[in-house]
Amino acid sequence: MKHNKVGSVMTTEVVRAEYGTPFKEVVRLLGENRISGLPVVDEDDKVIGVISETDLMIRQADAPDPYEPHRRHPLATLSRESRTRKAKARARTAGRLMTEPPVTVHADDSIVEAARTMALHHVERLPVLDEEQRLVGIVTRRDLLQVFLRPDAAIHKEVVDEVVVRALWLAPRSIDVAVVEGVVTLSGHMERKSETEIAVSMTRQIDGVVAVVDKLTFRLDDSHLRPEGPAMHGVADDWLRKL
């Protein structure tokens, strides 16, 4: 079972800036292309930082007001975050405005991995790198959500082929698989409880699956047994050890 790769959903035409790109040019690039952020690259097309609308807002919010009295804040007493904000407020180029180090993914990473990275770092877009760490694309939350537009028929076929047949070594019709709007219902009677757990767990990992309804029953409860020998065949061996 293989997840779709980031490279299959990313945008290859990437709006980017260089370290010395002027502040106003960055604003123009974001506005004209109707995007909320962009990567900053060096001369080798390697990503050295990213700029988001948040960075621009810091630049504007922390800009000095000419009508307010000047206040002195010794840098020595400022926190690292405060010093970063001060630097962004005075930034005139992309290199001084960007956030670093950049959060990135690779084109060969799975969509699931990219989604987890976005959630972990609270970002809406990720620069995509190739094997040589060069920028080859950009992936957004909207791109990743495309996986949930996958047809029910395609999901059904993968559950049968990859879970039922390849992982569990069962006949294609051993388990009743129904897919409606991405919700997979598994029904049928299996030999062991561990088999039902494998079936449900692997099905949840398939791209496009919204939820899994478990209606599987079993003859033998082997949950108290730790599989030492070849109790199952194929890739199910690995899944049993993880349960």
Side-chain angles (χ1 to χ4, degrees):
M1 182 174 62
K2 297 181 179 179
H3 290 293
N4 288 332
K5 303 300 182 181
V6 171
S8 67
V9 297
M10 71 182 185
T11 299
T12 55
E13 296 294 328
V14 186
V15 179
R16 65 194 74 187
E18 297 180 350
Y19 189 92
T21 301
F23 173 83
K24 284 192 174 183
E25 176 66 10
V26 172
V27 176
R28 185 189 67 80
L29 288 171
L30 294 178
E32 289 186 355
N33 293 280
R34 297 181 179 180
I35 53 179
S36 61
L38 52 76
V40 182
V41 299
D42 62 14
E43 61 276 5
D44 292 325
D45 240 13
K46 294 184 178 180
V47 181
I48 57 177
V50 293
I51 295 176
S52 67
E53 290 178 334
T54 301
D55 294 318
L56 298 180
M57 292 304 295
I58 290 176
R59 170 69 164 77
Q60 292 301 103
D62 284 7
D65 188 336
Y67 297 102
E68 287 187 356
H70 178 68
R71 298 178 181 178
R72 294 185 178 181
H73 295 284
L75 289 178
T77 64
L78 294 177
S79 65
R80 181 178 180 181
E81 181 180 355
S82 297
R83 290 196 296 270
T84 299
R85 289 180 64 92
K86 289 291 183 181
K88 288 181 183 291
R90 297 190 298 268
R92 296 183 180 180
T93 64
R96 299 294 302 275
L97 184 67
M98 69 184 184
T99 296
E100 54 181 329
V103 180
T104 62
V105 291
H106 287 81
D108 286 337
D109 289 344
S110 71
I111 289 176
V112 172
E113 291 173 311
R116 288 172 179 166
T117 300
M118 280 190 182
L120 178 63
H121 295 278
H122 306 287
V123 295
E124 296 183 356
R125 58 182 57 234
L126 294 168
V128 184
L129 312 181
D130 62 13
E131 294 178 352
E132 297 180 349
Q133 309 303 311
R134 290 188 171 89
L135 181 67
V136 293
I138 199 86
V139 65
T140 66
R141 289 182 180 179
R142 180 175 297 180
D143 295 328
L144 299 184
L145 288 175
Q146 288 181 12
V147 70
F148 291 107
L149 299 179
R150 191 179 185 196
D152 289 342
I155 296 174
H156 181 279
K157 184 176 186 304
E158 186 167 352
V159 173
V160 173
D161 292 348
E162 298 296 330
V163 179
V164 179
V165 177
R166 183 168 179 266
L168 297 173
W169 279 40
L170 299 174
R173 296 182 181 275
S174 298
I175 297 177
D176 181 37
V177 180
V179 186
V180 179
E181 296 293 329
V183 177
V184 181
T185 301
L186 302 176
S187 306
H189 189 72
M190 305 186 73
E191 180 66 16
R192 291 175 284 270
K193 181 180 180 180
S194 59
E195 291 178 323
T196 67
E197 293 172 341
I198 291 170
V200 172
S201 182
M202 291 189 73
T203 300
R204 285 198 181 107
Q205 302 303 313
I206 291 177
D207 290 332
V209 172
V210 176
V212 177
V213 179
D214 179 11
K215 292 186 177 181
L216 296 170
T217 59
F218 51 87
R219 186 186 69 82
L220 174 65
D221 184 354
D222 59 346
S223 57
H224 62 288
L225 301 176
R226 184 179 182 84
E228 299 290 346
M232 297 293 294
H233 303 280
V235 299
D237 289 330
D238 294 332
W239 280 84
L240 270 173
R241 296 184 178 93
K242 295 177 182 177
L243 293 174

